[in-house]
Amino acid sequence: MFVKDIIKVKGTRVITARPDDTITQAATIMKQKEVGAIIITDDKNKLIGILSERDMARAIPDHGDDLPKLQIKELMTSDVVTCHLDDTIDEIMKLMTSGRFRHIPVVEQEKIVGTISIGDVVKSRLAHLEHQTNHMRDFIGGRGY
Ligand code: AMP
């Protein structure tokens, strides 16, 4: 299984925001679009960061009531790990586990062509396992065991 297999099913929709947008705007987008992270782009649509629900939750002890008014750039992660369409799902699982994050933008020739979340990875693994189980069942049935 490859990243491109997930993107084929899921599509190339990417939820983005700008670094100067506020945390309230980011939270509103996350709620409306039902995502746990948003990709931050500059005015040339270049990837410059990622902001997840976890960044906002962890900022509460330091910023308290001021949190909604902060700008995304104050909380986002700028050093974003990305992947390619031809990467395997196993590679993605390793990246997510070692980096302790649950979202990875898919980038081809500096263009963001999708995002992969841990939910997408789990879904694709389950589908793959189900496919293998059915295949084994058919095989055993066909052999008359
Ligand atoms: P998440 O598990 O995706 O909610 O993110 C946990 C932390 O990792 C947050 O600080 C995110 O900003 C950061 N993060 C999420 N995705 C990535 C990524 N692909 N590369 C680098 N950091 C990330």
Side-chain angles (χ1 to χ4, degrees), residues 96-123:
M96 286 182 172
T97 307
S98 61
R100 293 172 176 269
F101 47 70
R102 297 165 293 178
H103 303 87
I104 303 189
V106 188
V107 175
E108 289 298 333
Q109 280 138 27
E110 296 190 21
K111 194 170 176 290
I112 313 161
V113 296
T115 51
I116 298 282
S117 74
I118 200 161
D120 301 322
V121 170
V122 170
K123 212 193 281 178

Side-chain angles (χ1 to χ4, degrees), residues 4-61:
K4 61 186 166 205
D5 299 319
I6 290 182
I7 296 298
K8 223 179 278 168
V9 176
K10 182 184 179 184
T12 54
R13 182 182 82 138
V14 181
I15 309 301
T16 62
R18 297 285 190 222
D20 294 342
D21 290 343
T22 63
I23 294 303
T24 298
Q25 287 172 306
T28 304
I29 295 170
M30 285 182 189
K31 183 181 174 202
Q32 283 171 348
K33 306 291 182 185
E34 299 182 320
V35 293
I38 43 181
I39 307 299
I40 313 306
T41 56
D42 65 13
D43 48 12
K44 292 185 183 77
N45 288 328
K46 192 172 160 275
L47 171 73
I48 55 166
I50 189 163
L51 180 84
S52 89
E53 293 163 333
R54 203 169 276 186
D55 294 312
M56 299 193 290
R58 285 176 182 161
I60 293 171

Side-chain angles (χ1 to χ4, degrees), residues 32-94:
Q32 283 171 348
K33 306 291 182 185
E34 299 182 320
V35 293
I38 43 181
I39 307 299
I40 313 306
T41 56
D42 65 13
D43 48 12
K44 292 185 183 77
N45 288 328
K46 192 172 160 275
L47 171 73
I48 55 166
I50 189 163
L51 180 84
S52 89
E53 293 163 333
R54 203 169 276 186
D55 294 312
M56 299 193 290
R58 285 176 182 161
I60 293 171
D62 288 338
H63 298 282
D65 292 346
D66 294 332
L67 181 62
K69 285 174 259 139
L70 291 186
Q71 290 183 311
I72 287 177
K73 64 183 169 207
E74 297 175 76
L75 296 187
M76 72 183 192
T77 301
S78 305
D79 196 7
V80 184
V81 175
T82 60
C83 67
H84 296 287
L85 289 168
D86 283 334
D87 289 340
T88 65
I89 301 307
D90 282 356
E91 285 167 319
I92 298 306
M93 287 195 294
K94 279 181 202 151

